[in-house]
Amino acid sequence: MAKKILVIEDDKDIRDTIVYALEEEKYEVTSSEDAKILKSIHKLNPGIILLDNWLTEWKSDANGQQISKELKSNPATSHIPVIIISAVSDIKEIAEAGLADGYLRKPFDLTELLDIVKRHIK
């Protein structure tokens, strides 16, 4: 059975590239341009979430760091690894403050993407 990955990335080209690379590795991938998909997270039951840091669709103006912190603070979703993706220089600090399991700095190569997924997926 394929392991499930949820990709939340608002840049279509980046999202499509991530999805393609993961599907080539036989993962079952669900993707979205915004965080509204998290309303159905229990139905999706992902083994990992790849989350862009610059999303504005969640509550008011929450970003990936805040979304990650909510997911990791909720007993129903805290077990799901969250990897924050961003081009900002302080991505490590952002990921730590968001309680994320890891981070991926843009631009990244596909080997980096696959390595971090393999390390964290459940």
Side-chain angles (χ1 to χ4, degrees):
M1 188 168 149
K3 295 192 176 198
K4 297 178 183 181
I5 300 175
L6 176 58
V7 177
I8 303 172
E9 166 64 63
D10 57 356
D11 182 300
K12 183 182 181 335
D13 292 336
I14 295 172
R15 186 174 64 246
D16 289 349
T17 300
I18 292 171
V19 169
Y20 176 80
L22 294 173
E23 286 179 341
E24 282 293 301
E25 295 294 314
K26 308 297 184 220
Y27 291 110
E28 183 181 323
V29 184
T30 302
S31 67
S32 176
E33 65 183 348
D34 60 49
K36 291 177 188 154
I37 194 164
L38 291 172
K39 291 176 181 162
S40 57
I41 192 165
H42 301 295
K43 188 171 69 176
L44 295 169
N45 193 26
I48 191 170
I49 299 171
L50 302 178
L51 177 63
D52 182 17
N53 191 50
W54 296 113
L55 296 169
T56 56
E57 307 296 332
W58 188 237
K59 284 190 173 169
S60 53
D61 57 355
N63 57 31
Q65 177 189 48
Q66 292 159 309
I67 295 167
S68 175
K69 195 168 190 172
E70 283 191 34
L71 289 167
K72 299 309 279 183
S73 299
N74 181 339
T77 55
S78 63
H79 65 284
I80 304 169
V82 175
I83 306 300
I84 293 182
I85 303 173
S86 182
V88 297
S89 60
D90 59 344
I91 181 66
K92 183 175 191 266
E93 292 78 12
I94 287 171
E96 288 172 357
L99 307 176
D101 297 273
Y103 62 91
L104 188 60
R105 187 183 315 274
K106 294 178 188 174
F108 54 85
D109 69 38
L110 298 180
T111 304
E112 287 177 286
L113 169 70
L114 297 174
D115 285 349
I116 200 162
V117 167
K118 286 175 185 161
R119 265 199 321 274
H120 292 282
I121 194 160
K122 294 191 171 166

